[in-house]
Amino acid sequence: NERMHLMTFMEMTNVRWHQRLLVVLGQIGFFSAYSIFYLITPRIAHRFTGYLEEEAVHTYTEMLKMVDAGQLENVPAPKIAIQYWNMPEDARLRDVILVVRADEADHRLVNHHIGDLIRDAPNKKPVVPGSTTYKPCDEFHVDLHIDLGPTVARRSKAEA
């Protein structure tokens, strides 16, 4: 999903091959470092990701303000975004930013929730019948109902 965000915005900006290469190398570096970080401390890794996602929500909110103020051109959404998020064919940059921001807000909540579950794991009893240990994934639940303001209307299944 995060890769789709990246691919969408790269599609909109017509990135050159050497810029794409730098992005791929950055992803490889980040993935490698994050994997080691996660092996050392999964709880803090989830918190870190939650805070990154929170910063992304703020960034996309600022981008929306820029689009609304005319500082960023509200260009048509690329096909890749229209297909992935099942948006109307006439979707624009503003619509893309809204769905990406909603994704980031969901990811923020999920990662902070997993961090809480891992933090609380030592004091919990098993929740699955027959299990002898508590596993945070057995209890995973998060309310993703958040108000992000008006979002893009999605096509119905019949229209798709």
Side-chain angles (χ1 to χ4, degrees):
N1 184 268
E2 294 296 335
R3 186 161 169 75
M4 187 55 69
H5 299 171
L6 179 64
M7 290 172 60
T8 296
F9 286 104
M10 285 175 57
E11 184 78 21
M12 294 178 86
T13 57
N14 297 318
V15 179
R16 295 192 173 115
W17 71 269
H18 63 280
Q19 292 167 317
R20 285 183 188 270
L21 177 64
L22 286 174
V23 167
V24 169
L25 292 174
Q27 286 178 315
I28 291 169
F30 180 82
F31 177 78
S32 301
Y34 185 79
S35 295
I36 293 168
F37 184 40
Y38 193 89
L39 288 173
I40 295 168
T41 175
R43 179 182 61 85
I44 295 174
H46 278 288
R47 286 282 184 226
F48 175 74
T49 302
Y51 291 125
L52 282 179
E53 303 289 7
E54 191 169 321
E55 189 57 36
V57 170
H58 293 297
T59 300
Y60 289 121
T61 299
E62 290 303 312
M63 286 178 70
L64 282 172
K65 290 176 185 175
M66 292 171 71
V67 169
D68 292 343
Q71 297 170 324
L72 279 176
E73 185 181 353
N74 195 19
V75 297
K79 286 284 184 201
I80 190 171
I82 290 170
Q83 291 169 348
Y84 184 76
W85 283 288
N86 197 29
M87 297 190 307
E89 292 296 321
D90 62 347
R92 312 288 294 181
L93 172 61
R94 188 175 201 291
D95 302 320
V96 172
I97 294 170
L98 285 169
V99 294
V100 171
R101 183 179 70 167
D103 278 353
E104 300 293 11
D106 288 349
H107 302 161
R108 172 193 62 195
L109 292 174
V110 167
N111 277 284
H112 283 307
H113 185 68
I114 293 172
D116 289 344
L117 291 174
I118 293 170
R119 177 198 64 208
D120 298 339
N123 303 322
K124 297 254 184 160
K125 293 186 178 358
V127 293
V128 174
S131 179
T132 57
T133 58
Y134 171 81
K135 295 184 182 107
C137 59
D138 293 338
E139 190 182 4
F140 182 76
H141 62 280
V142 64
D143 180 8
L144 295 179
H145 179 74
I146 52 176
D147 182 16
L148 291 174
T151 58
V152 66
R154 299 203 179 180
R155 294 182 304 202
S156 68
K157 295 284 184 201
E159 294 176 302

